[in-house]
Amino acid sequence: MKKLLFLAVFMLLGSLLFSLTIEEYKALPYKKTEFYGERFYYNLLDKVRVFEGNSKQFISDFDNYYEYKNHELTAKEKDFFTEYFSYLPQKLQDCFLNHVYAVYFVEGMWYGGLTNFIYDEKQNRYSIVYFNIDTFYYNLDDWMEYRDNSIFTKTDANNKIKVECSKEWRAFIHVLIHESAHVYDYINSITPYMETFDGSPKTNNIYYQYWQNMYQPVKKYDDKLLSQFSYYYFGNQISFSKAMLLFDYLSTTPFSTLYGAKNFLDDFAETLTFYYLKKAFGLDYKITCIENGKDKATYSLTDNKNVTVWNELCKQITEY
């Protein structure tokens, strides 16, 4: 019930935020670097801060959940973070090191991560990144399966979405690339997210070929089911009986995943993430709809040729 209440509040808050001008938005306390304390550090591990005070209050209020805890990285976890960071494409590494103001590792999150953009006193833009420490310990298949099934009211071993991506890689590889893609977007304005504020001029950004606004695809790629479910149990869920309809829908769109079909920020992040996972590590995103113990439909990102419209953009970002 708390999550349903949160969703209603969040949707209202979102509409109110985007009724602000960008200057009014920048003036909000949590959009300023000073809200997060300390100073900017370039070194990766120096960016990791204790999850407390304003940073904890912000995400707790944002999620309407107050049981989150700070996680202090062990020496082994620091090595793991550093190793996985080294797997990022160079442009994402550089952008992360130059523009992420603080990183927090959180216990108790039910989603993978969160990235926000903020400003210093000179109006330079930075990002804040929160990571779910659990993603260090899930394998990629299990985490993606948890995410992709969270939109349904009920699933079990015989009725679920099965994900085949990798059992060897930890879930953090997806979360890290995805959140780093958000950082890159916020700093370089890949998507037209800055045009969502009141009074902001509209451009001919390529994303408008596929999106009416941040949350609604153009008519050709829209589907009424998209507004009926949320991920990670934030808000509404749908019956698993509608899973096949979603499979049919996704295969006809330029969206890499259903998660990416929810808004253009995640459209960019998901597409870049899986483009790079395929290019660098040979990983596909393959999902199978299992009903009553039988495979009923399969979607493979590699087979969705509609997504190739983003190949050139992804190539430019992932090649140094």
Side-chain angles (χ1 to χ4, degrees):
M1 183 64 184
K2 283 183 71 176
K3 292 177 186 176
L4 288 173
L5 176 61
F6 160 77
L7 184 66
V9 173
F10 176 68
M11 291 177 67
L12 175 61
L13 179 60
S15 63
L16 290 174
L17 285 177
F18 292 119
S19 68
L20 300 176
T21 67
I22 185 58
E23 295 307 320
E24 291 171 332
Y25 190 62
K26 289 179 182 179
L28 296 171
Y30 63 86
K31 302 308 293 184
K32 300 178 181 181
T33 55
E34 63 191 53
F35 184 82
Y36 302 91
E38 298 190 47
R39 64 178 180 85
F40 175 81
Y41 294 95
Y42 177 82
N43 180 272
L44 178 66
L45 292 179
D46 287 341
K47 294 180 184 294
V48 179
R49 303 188 183 184
V50 178
F51 178 62
E52 62 183 6
N54 285 343
S55 61
K56 184 176 182 179
Q57 190 66 45
F58 166 74
I59 195 172
S60 296
D61 289 344
F62 186 85
D63 289 345
N64 191 35
Y65 184 76
Y66 297 90
E67 303 302 320
Y68 293 140
K69 296 179 181 180
N70 175 65
H71 181 86
E72 183 177 352
L73 295 180
T74 65
K76 187 175 181 180
E77 289 170 337
K78 289 178 181 178
D79 289 343
F80 176 85
F81 181 33
T82 302
E83 176 190 350
Y84 267 51
F85 184 80
S86 73
Y87 298 139
L88 290 176
Q90 191 63 50
K91 287 183 179 178
L92 292 194
Q93 288 190 41
D94 292 344
C95 188
F96 197 102
L97 293 174
N98 284 309
H99 297 286
V100 169
Y101 192 80
V103 173
Y104 302 98
F105 285 95
V106 183
E107 297 178 6
M109 292 177 74
W110 54 80
Y111 54 98
L114 177 71
T115 299
N116 200 0
F117 63 95
I118 61 175
Y119 295 87
D120 68 10
E121 68 280 359
K122 296 181 180 179
Q123 299 304 296
N124 296 309
R125 198 180 305 165
Y126 293 91
S127 283
I128 299 292
V129 183
Y130 298 84
F131 288 122
N132 181 346
I133 189 61
D134 288 347
T135 61
F136 277 30
Y137 298 100
Y138 274 80
N139 71 51
L140 183 54
D141 280 1
D142 288 349
W143 180 261
M144 298 303 295
E145 198 162 294
Y146 158 69
R147 185 191 78 171
D148 289 357
N149 282 286
S150 69
I151 68 173
F152 301 112
T153 52
K154 183 180 179 181
T155 59
D156 55 44
N158 292 317
N159 297 275
K160 69 174 185 176
I161 302 300
K162 180 176 71 174
V163 176
E164 295 172 88
C165 190
S166 174
K167 293 190 179 300
E168 287 70 42
W169 284 92
R170 301 288 176 86
F172 189 64
I173 192 64
H174 172 275
V175 173
L176 178 59
I177 301 172
H178 182 105
E179 298 306 323
S180 297
H182 283 317
V183 174
Y184 192 88
D185 183 12
Y186 286 148
I187 300 305
N188 295 283
S189 297
I190 303 300
T191 68
Y193 76 96
M194 293 297 289
E195 299 171 24
T196 58
F197 296 99
D198 187 50
S200 298
K202 298 297 186 290
T203 67
N204 61 348
N205 188 293
I206 188 175
Y207 273 83
Y208 289 131
Q209 296 181 29
Y210 308 100
W211 291 88
Q212 297 182 54
N213 54 56
M214 185 185 292
Y215 297 105
Q216 186 174 15
V218 296
K219 186 175 181 179
K220 179 179 180 180
Y221 299 119
D222 201 2
D223 191 285
K224 63 181 180 180
L225 280 177
L226 290 176
S227 63
Q228 296 177 21
F229 64 85
S230 301
Y231 281 88
Y232 299 116
Y233 309 103
F234 280 108
N236 294 330
Q237 298 167 288
I238 59 174
S239 168
F240 189 76
S241 63
K242 297 180 179 179
M244 286 289 293
L245 297 175
L246 293 174
F247 270 68
D248 292 340
Y249 160 75
L250 184 60
S251 63
T252 66
T253 75
F255 309 133
S256 297
T257 66
L258 281 172
Y259 192 86
K262 294 289 284 181
N263 63 78
F264 64 51
L265 295 171
D266 284 318
D267 180 15
F268 168 69
E270 284 287 276
T271 297
L272 185 67
T273 296
F274 282 108
Y275 175 91
Y276 186 65
L277 286 175
K278 179 66 175 181
K279 175 184 176 183
F281 309 114
L283 304 183
D284 190 13
Y285 172 72
K286 180 181 177 182
I287 55 177
T288 300
C289 179
I290 300 176
E291 288 186 0
N292 298 318
K294 297 181 180 180
D295 294 357
K296 304 296 287 187
T298 297
Y299 167 84
S300 169
L301 178 54
T302 300
D303 295 336
N304 185 357
K305 303 307 179 185
N306 299 293
V307 181
T308 60
V309 297
W310 301 113
N311 281 2
E312 187 57 35
L313 173 62
C314 292
K315 180 179 179 182
Q316 292 172 11
I317 296 171
T318 57
E319 288 187 356
Y320 196 67

